[in-house]
Amino acid sequence: MTDPLRPADHPATPTGKTGVLLVHLGTPDAPTYGAVRRYLAEFLSDPRVVEMPKPLWLPILYGPILTFRPARSARAYAKVWNRELNESPLRTISRAQAEGLASAMGDGAHVVWAARYGNPSMEGAFGELKAKGCDRILIFALYPQYSATTVASVHDEAFRILKKMRWQPAIRTMPAFHDHGHYIGGLKTSVETALAGLDWQPEAILASYHSIPKAYWDKGDPYPCQCFKTTRLLKEALGAKGEGLISTFQSRVGPTEWVGPYTDRKVEELAAKGVKRILVLAPAFLADCLETLEEINMELRHTFLSAGGEKFDYVPCLNADPAGISLLETLTREQLAGWI
């Protein structure tokens, strides 16, 4: 409807809409040395990820790390790459999550998705939301457990972008939901579904979380505590089916001490003790990605079976399954209370 009080030459200023920006970690654009190098350079240059003075860190990053690591990572990405769409599984799933949430929200909110590192960019996503007239935006970092290395980094980038906007929207951010009943319920259902599909019973269930350097925990990052709480609540929800459920941590890099117990060492230890059958899930991820599809379902599987294990199964993330979309909708509607 035309505003009769607005001058004919007034700039077009669409307003009054609510937006949701889903943000995942990001992936390279291709499983190649060059694409992975660009991605890793952006990711590992983030001071939230590597808390080392830049004069000390950058020569290491642009020396041995970005010389050798991209080739190894590119080979890993190639193992799980979505050849049909020519993109990583994380990008495929993130798009489906955004489409699923948009359908669930209807006219209540305009939903877009972006990557913290790589494409599609957060800056482009903010531009799209602004063009749609969204002057109220929920920034939804897709991490159940809070860490400065993940959630805070997303917020840093968001507010860096907002600093350049003359007319800024009202902003809300998604709090940690590691202990939210809907999230725990979704994990419970996924584990029960996996168990029902097996013709064997696991002797141990590992909830494997992406680790962080122990020094970050010592400085006050709550992430490990929230991971342990997620496991405890899931174990309680599963009842007898959750016996043997333990927390472990994966994806450590370099010689520094990381939060443990380490997932790879734990499966070797279990195999050495005679455990033959294990089930693994990854509660720190809402979407399957390199760390789940390659590191867990391929490399960790090989580690366990090579150490004497006989049965290994991986529980997929909630992804864009009905339970996953239901969780996203529930959390979004809670945080948009009063706006929609």
Side-chain angles (χ1 to χ4, degrees), residues 12-141:
T13 52
T15 59
K17 302 294 185 180
T18 298
V20 179
L21 172 55
L22 301 179
V23 185
H24 64 78
L25 181 71
T27 71
D29 293 323
T32 62
Y33 181 94
V36 173
R37 189 180 190 278
R38 289 191 297 273
Y39 170 73
L40 290 177
E42 182 181 5
F43 173 44
L44 296 176
S45 296
D46 187 342
R48 289 285 195 180
V49 175
V50 180
E51 296 181 6
M52 183 184 295
K54 287 195 172 183
L56 296 177
W57 172 240
L58 292 183
I60 299 173
L61 174 61
Y62 284 90
I65 292 179
L66 290 181
T67 298
F68 300 106
R69 187 170 173 182
R72 294 195 299 270
S73 294
R75 288 193 294 270
Y77 274 106
K79 295 178 185 178
V80 300
W81 202 253
N82 183 336
R83 300 291 176 181
E84 181 179 353
L85 297 178
N86 191 28
E87 62 185 17
S88 71
L90 178 58
R91 189 171 294 176
T92 304
I93 295 168
S94 297
R95 181 187 302 107
Q97 288 175 323
E99 291 172 351
L101 179 59
S103 177
M105 296 300 298
D107 294 333
H110 184 72
V111 180
V112 299
W113 63 285
R116 171 60 184 91
Y117 314 103
N119 297 306
S121 72
M122 290 179 61
E123 191 154 7
F126 270 109
E128 179 180 341
L129 290 172
K130 180 180 179 182
K132 293 289 185 180
C134 297
D135 49 20
R136 301 179 300 272
I137 297 175
L138 169 66
I139 301 170
F140 191 156

